[in-house]
Amino acid sequence: LSFDEGDPIQDMSDGFLDYLDMNTKEHTSSVEIEQNLKEKNIIPIVFSCNNNYAIHLCCAITSILENANENDYLLFNIICEKRNLNCFYKNLLCKLARKNCQINFIYVNSEIFKDLPLTSVCKHISIETYYRFILADLFPNYDKIIYLDCDITVMSSLNALFNIDIEKYYFAGAKDVAWRDCCKRLCLEKYCNAGILLVNLNKWRNDNIQKELFEYSFNNVDKIVWQDQDVLNVVLQQGIIYINNVWNAQVGEYQLCYNTLGKNANILHHFGPSKPWMFNCKSPFKDLYYKYLNKMSWEYRFLHFLIFKLFSPVVYFLKNFKEKRKLLLWYDSRKQELVLCKKYRIKFHFFY
């Protein structure tokens, strides 16, 4: 199950468009490739990922596998740029494979996305979010797929979601927590959160949707706030169908109404900048993320401990050194003073 970029892996570049890496390869990892899938519920699932979210993708995939039905056969497809997902993380992802799933990597040349807007409102979102635009051409053999963000925890089989009828629609999605404000801002009737989508790839191809998505993005930079989510909702407005928010319970520290919904959710979406793996996160569903993290082998847990229990708190501590003044002791260079806690303003002057 080890991955080496020098391995003679099946070449997938033939016939693909310019935005694909011309050395694109697909690596399939499975403990036991099923010989007869006729009686299986084949569910193609797509993620976009980079090094920053790889360990959380491992946790998301584990939650899907733990809650899959006996007849579910899961085809995990991970879209990435080769330089942005290293071999170490690919190995970790490959080791998750079981007899009821395959894990594939599809490499993309991200140059075509470099001029697409990334707004200051969503500093935690990277360019990988725009990989959704090219789904129809990346997966020509699929009529529809489930697209998932990496910051999710799945609590049930995805079979019921995949079997929703969307033949007449471009995609199915749940209402965004801010759908009213977004509808008003963009003059829309519907607005979905793009973190969990059931996508009709066949209809996207027939109507050449990819071209429209890119054109709107380049021509309406001033209107875009929530990146590709805004674009998808505007361009595909007439082909959107809502699904129940149990399939995308957007939970966080402050969304109290959706946190209530999250108790009975099929998919928890830890949206926003505060994530359950962050040491200062106060989400009521933080423990569910760790429930599935703890089901993984020791190397995943050890890596998570190093990054998010040791390294990240130090970075957070230093980052807030002057911004929030939470340190016990800090130096005010302007006044040349050492200050012991902002609350008490105990000062120690330097004399020259």
Side-chain angles (χ1 to χ4, degrees):
L1 296 180
S2 63
F3 184 91
D4 184 346
E5 291 186 1
D7 287 347
I9 302 166
Q10 179 186 0
D11 193 343
M12 297 290 290
S13 62
D14 292 341
F16 280 18
L17 303 182
D18 291 341
Y19 50 74
L20 284 175
D21 188 335
M22 293 312 294
N23 294 315
T24 297
K25 298 180 187 296
E26 178 176 316
H27 176 66
T28 302
S29 174
S30 177
V31 173
E32 179 183 342
I33 302 296
E34 297 284 344
Q35 298 299 319
N36 186 0
L37 299 179
K38 292 181 180 180
E39 297 181 359
K40 296 289 184 180
N41 302 317
I42 300 175
I43 306 175
I45 301 167
V46 178
F47 292 96
S48 297
C49 190
N50 58 26
N51 289 326
N52 294 331
Y53 271 80
I55 191 66
H56 314 306
L57 175 55
C58 290
C59 198
I61 290 177
T62 299
S63 71
I64 295 171
L65 293 172
E66 287 290 325
N67 292 285
N69 290 335
E70 185 178 350
N71 289 329
D72 290 347
Y73 192 82
L74 304 160
L75 299 175
F76 295 108
N77 299 279
I78 301 167
I79 310 172
C80 59
E81 188 169 24
K82 185 177 290 188
R83 64 184 178 182
N84 289 338
L85 189 63
N86 62 42
C87 292
F88 175 77
Y89 286 122
K90 288 170 191 168
N91 276 323
L92 288 181
L93 286 160
C94 287
K95 289 178 181 179
L96 295 174
R98 305 180 186 180
K99 67 178 182 180
N100 64 333
C101 77
Q102 293 181 29
I103 299 177
N104 307 316
F105 297 95
I106 293 84
Y107 300 126
V108 176
N109 182 353
S110 63
E111 282 298 305
I112 193 172
F113 304 99
K114 67 179 182 180
D115 295 324
L116 294 175
L118 290 174
T119 63
S120 58
V121 177
C122 321
K123 293 181 179 180
H124 62 288
I125 297 178
S126 62
I127 201 67
E128 281 81 5
T129 192
Y130 284 104
Y131 291 173
R132 273 175 270 238
F133 286 4
I134 60 175
L135 291 174
D137 283 327
L138 282 180
F139 305 104
N141 297 325
Y142 297 157
D143 290 332
K144 66 177 179 179
I145 55 97
I146 296 175
Y147 183 94
L148 301 173
D149 278 352
C150 296
D151 55 347
I152 61 162
T153 303
V154 176
M155 310 297 292
S156 73
S157 169
L158 297 177
N159 186 48
L161 173 61
F162 185 69
N163 285 324
I164 294 175
D165 183 10
I166 57 168
E167 185 177 357
K168 298 179 181 178
Y169 302 94
Y170 291 118
F171 71 81
K175 284 184 180 180
D176 190 80
V177 291
W179 70 274
R180 289 186 178 87
D181 293 336
C182 292
C183 283
K184 183 178 180 180
R185 173 172 57 85
L186 297 168
C187 300
L188 303 176
E189 295 181 0
K190 297 179 180 180
Y191 191 90
C192 291
N193 181 278
I196 290 94
L197 298 176
L198 180 62
V199 184
N200 186 344
L201 298 184
N202 197 37
K203 190 169 175 61
W204 280 38
R205 283 188 287 266
N206 292 339
D207 295 348
N208 197 18
I209 291 303
Q210 176 184 291
K211 181 181 178 182
E212 294 185 41
L213 294 173
F214 277 102
E215 286 181 351
Y216 183 88
S217 301
F218 289 130
N219 297 330
N220 297 275
V221 174
D222 57 322
K223 297 179 181 179
I224 297 173
V225 175
W226 300 108
Q227 280 96 8
D228 62 304
Q229 183 170 281
D230 277 0
V231 180
L232 289 168
N233 278 281
V234 172
V235 174
L236 306 179
Q237 180 64 198
Q238 301 307 314
I240 295 175
I241 182 174
Y242 280 141
I243 55 176
N244 195 305
N245 275 81
V246 297
W247 291 110
N248 185 354
Q250 299 145 58
V251 296
E253 294 184 16
Y254 309 110
Q255 298 295 335
L256 297 181
C257 60
Y258 279 83
N259 285 344
T260 302
L261 174 67
K263 294 177 182 178
N264 300 310
N266 294 329
I267 302 178
L268 295 173
H269 182 192
H270 309 285
F271 81 117
S274 182
K275 305 297 184 184
W277 53 85
M278 295 179 177
F279 82 101
N280 60 327
C281 177
K282 298 179 178 63
S283 170
F285 297 97
K286 185 174 182 176
D287 290 344
L288 286 173
Y289 171 84
Y290 284 95
K291 171 186 174 181
Y292 291 101
L293 176 70
N294 291 332
K295 288 180 180 291
M296 295 190 286
S297 60
W298 69 269
E299 63 228 88
Y300 299 89
R301 301 196 301 273
F302 181 68
L303 178 64
H304 191 280
F305 175 79
L306 288 179
I307 298 175
F308 299 103
K309 295 297 184 182
L310 291 181
F311 180 70
S312 290
V314 172
V315 172
Y316 178 85
F317 195 69
L318 295 175
K319 184 178 178 181
N320 289 276
F321 184 79
K322 291 198 71 173
E323 293 178 8
K324 297 184 179 179
R325 299 180 179 182
K326 288 185 177 180
L327 291 181
L328 178 66
L329 193 67
W330 60 277
Y331 175 63
D332 187 338
S333 58
R334 184 171 58 86
K335 295 183 179 180
Q336 295 185 342
E337 298 171 347
L338 275 177
V339 180
L340 181 62
C341 298
K342 182 182 177 183
K343 180 177 179 181
Y344 301 108
R345 300 295 300 181
I346 300 173
K347 301 176 183 179
F348 301 87
H349 293 273
F350 284 88
F351 298 98
Y352 296 95

